[in-house]
Amino acid sequence: MAPRLGVNIDHVATLRQARGEFYPCVKRAAQLVLENGGDQITIHLREDRRHIQDQDVFDVRAITSDYGKPLNFEMGCNPEIIEIAKKVKPDWVCLVPEKREEKTTEGGLDLLTDENFSRVNKACVELKKDNPKLKISLFLESNPETLKQVPRFDVAIDAVEIHTGDYAKAFLLGQEVASYLKEFESAERFLAQNKINCHAGHGLTMDSMGPLLEMELFSEFNIGHWIISEAVFQGLGPVIRHLKKLIQIKETPRISDKSFI
Ligand code: PXP
């Protein structure tokens, strides 16, 4: 099976919020993505509401339900946002670290201190208790120390989304990326041994996604900023169709046909 393309549409809301207007419409973006072959909509309701607003989450949920496609709700482990997730009932929650001063999520969750581990674990338990069908992914760095913490959770973790931001930046700068790819490979092996899906996200462009597709490690890519940026020139529908085609061309033969979902 080809990997899924999750499209993060936060930056449609960024553009809208920059002028306090009613356009561009986040709902229309979600519809266009799904009509053009996107496999999932990803949105991040940040504590500071800098882009996606509470109403957007419910509106986008209604659209993904209409199209029978998953909503992946990115969120920090904040009690207020957890309550919203319980009401929205997304298909997936992707837990991310969140700092107000950052421009975007700047790295994976820190699971290496007891305090942080318990906070994330508690959020997972609470979310799964409320909605046992919910799938949870954790946004993590690919280092082995962090990944080793995942099987310790009190509820099954369905996927790890590997933070690809540093790799993507190095790729764009024409720097050596072999060490990142090696680490991604080991990460996927460890996750597969533990029956945990391996997703990729952050900072990816069409070009930097290429080597990752070749390696056939990831069952899902979540891409936002590049897609919305490129849509300024090509239109959202054509960008999605093009990315989907690239993903499908790499489909055969695919050794990592191992979606555990
Ligand atoms: N995955 C996660 C967990 C993220 O936090 C983000 C950014 O919101 C993305 C994927 C998408 O990243 P980008 O917009 O850089 O493609």
Side-chain angles (χ1 to χ4, degrees):
M1 239 178 24
R4 292 182 299 279
L5 175 64
V7 180
N8 182 314
I9 56 172
D10 291 348
H11 295 298
V12 176
T14 303
L15 201 54
R16 181 192 61 194
Q17 297 306 113
R19 284 281 295 264
E21 288 291 354
F22 299 104
Y23 62 85
C25 175
V26 170
K27 285 195 282 183
R28 190 169 160 204
Q31 270 166 337
L32 266 174
V33 166
L34 298 178
E35 273 164 19
N36 285 280
D39 298 299
Q40 160 173 284
I41 301 292
T42 296
I43 45 176
H44 184 177
L45 183 67
R46 294 186 68 103
E47 286 166 32
D48 63 9
R49 309 297 199 270
R50 71 173 70 155
H51 40 55
I52 293 292
Q53 306 296 302
D54 297 35
Q55 188 57 44
D56 293 325
V57 183
F58 291 93
D59 290 346
V60 171
R61 164 80 281 188
I63 286 167
T64 53
S65 299
D66 279 354
Y67 281 80
K69 292 281 173 76
L71 171 68
N72 177 30
F73 186 52
E74 274 180 23
M75 53 177 273
C77 300
N78 167 302
E80 186 215 351
I81 308 284
I82 291 175
E83 286 312 309
I84 294 173
K86 287 182 189 172
K87 290 194 191 118
V88 175
K89 303 221 176 299
D91 303 277
W92 282 86
V93 155
C94 178
L95 288 173
V96 301
E98 202 174 299
K99 293 191 218 99
R100 284 188 185 238
E101 63 278 12
E102 68 195 355
K103 278 199 205 128
T104 176
T105 316
E106 280 169 357
L109 289 160
D110 174 4
L111 301 180
L112 296 179
T113 67
D114 287 345
E115 194 189 341
N116 283 346
F117 180 87
S118 320
R119 205 164 97 89
V120 181
N121 185 43
K122 192 166 154 264
C124 293
V125 170
E126 193 175 340
L127 287 162
K128 285 250 188 187
K129 190 168 164 225
D130 175 71
N131 178 8
K133 284 196 200 143
L134 175 74
K135 296 195 176 80
I136 296 183
S137 68
L138 303 177
F139 186 53
L140 299 179
E141 299 299 325
S142 47
N143 67 69
E145 297 73 33
T146 298
L147 295 176
K148 262 189 243 152
Q149 307 308 315
V150 182
R152 291 180 51 220
F153 275 70
D154 289 329
V155 289
I157 298 301
D158 303 281
V160 165
E161 183 170 319
I162 300 285
H163 173 228
T164 51
D166 296 335
Y167 153 79
K169 193 154 268 173
F171 184 97
L172 276 186
L173 293 170
Q175 294 168 352
E176 187 57 65
V177 292
S179 59
Y180 293 102
L181 298 178
K182 202 159 158 239
E183 196 171 89
F184 294 163
E185 202 166 28
S186 311
E188 191 271 347
R189 203 173 316 127
F190 174 80
L191 293 171
Q193 280 160 4
N194 287 281
K195 297 212 171 338
I196 299 167
N197 290 283
C198 188
H199 299 173
H202 213 275
L204 292 172
T205 64
M206 184 178 73
D207 291 340
S208 57
M209 190 175 65
L212 305 185
L213 280 172
E214 297 275 354
M215 290 175 78
E216 304 183 339
L217 300 176
F218 299 104
S219 57
E220 180 177 303
F221 290 93
N222 283 297
I223 309 182
H225 192 260
W226 181 83
I227 289 179
I228 302 304
S229 304
E230 192 60 22
V232 170
F233 304 109
Q234 290 193 47
L236 189 52
V239 177
I240 301 297
R241 289 202 298 276
H242 190 65
L243 277 186
K244 276 289 290 186
K245 208 153 139 198
L246 281 182
I247 289 175
Q248 273 152 1
I249 290 168
K250 302 283 178 195
E251 189 179 346
T252 49
R254 186 158 286 280
I255 47 163
S256 66
D257 254 354
K258 48 177 171 279
S259 192
F260 305 110
I261 299 162

